[in-house]
Amino acid sequence: MVPFLHAACRDTVMPMTESRDDIDFTPAPCKRHNGWTAERQRDFIYHLGRIGLVAPVARAVGMSRQTAYLLRQKPGAESFAAAWDRALEMGLDNAEDHAITRALEGYEVPYFYGGRQRGTIRRYDHRLLLAALARNDRREEKGRNADG
């Protein structure tokens, strides 16, 4: 498993895809053995489809955000760029679903008193819901503008 999330969140992010091959693409050519190899590109696209965040996913596969964007612009990387776009949308949808679930169902926070854990408190973060709704509004507005 690629450690791209905080340990407390790692098991709660549900992948939108179980297979690394759900987004089919041709990896961009890479001349360096320690660069953006085909395996790194596949891992990058897979994890981008899970969380929708470029920088942590690039770090997780041992590369930088800057080199990911450079690879995306390279001649011969058109398939990689198209897969990136699809994976990013999947990841953002996944993050939005997770935020809505966390906002509506809450999350457990340990309660301590006298240096000992005495129980848990369920917290609700309505800011997550508001952010998800705002993203949805922006997406609808973008769709209306694209339609004419």
Side-chain angles (χ1 to χ4, degrees):
M1 176 167 171
V2 178
F4 58 88
L5 290 174
H6 186 274
C9 299
R10 193 171 294 132
D11 296 329
T12 62
V13 175
M14 301 297 289
M16 294 200 55
T17 174
E18 291 297 326
S19 169
R20 292 178 185 269
D21 301 323
D22 278 357
I23 299 177
D24 189 35
F25 72 101
T26 303
C30 177
K31 296 177 185 169
R32 297 175 54 155
H33 73 283
N34 62 347
W36 279 98
T37 62
E39 184 64 26
R40 276 195 172 128
Q41 291 177 50
R42 285 186 193 95
D43 286 347
F44 176 83
I45 294 298
Y46 170 73
H47 291 295
L48 187 62
R50 291 186 70 209
I51 66 169
L53 299 170
V54 174
V57 171
R59 277 194 308 273
V61 299
M63 303 302 286
S64 71
R65 180 176 83 64
Q66 291 83 1
T67 61
Y69 280 101
L70 288 174
L71 176 66
R72 181 182 166 90
Q73 301 297 323
K74 273 178 74 171
E78 293 81 12
S79 181
F80 174 75
W84 175 319
D85 292 339
R86 286 191 306 275
L88 186 61
E89 188 63 31
M90 286 172 57
L92 292 173
D93 287 345
N94 193 23
E96 183 178 31
D97 291 346
H98 185 70
I100 290 170
T101 300
R102 191 171 167 114
L104 296 176
E105 296 177 8
Y107 56 97
E108 296 283 320
V109 177
Y111 167 67
F112 292 90
Y113 182 78
R116 302 178 83 186
Q117 183 175 345
R118 305 296 182 170
T120 59
I121 299 171
R122 182 160 292 278
R123 299 272 170 117
Y124 299 89
D125 192 346
H126 299 292
R127 293 172 299 168
L128 291 171
L129 183 59
L130 293 173
L133 291 172
R135 179 175 182 264
N136 200 20
D137 288 345
R138 285 191 304 271
R139 185 185 294 164
E140 286 179 13
E141 183 66 30
K142 186 177 177 183
R144 278 194 298 259
N145 289 340
D147 291 341

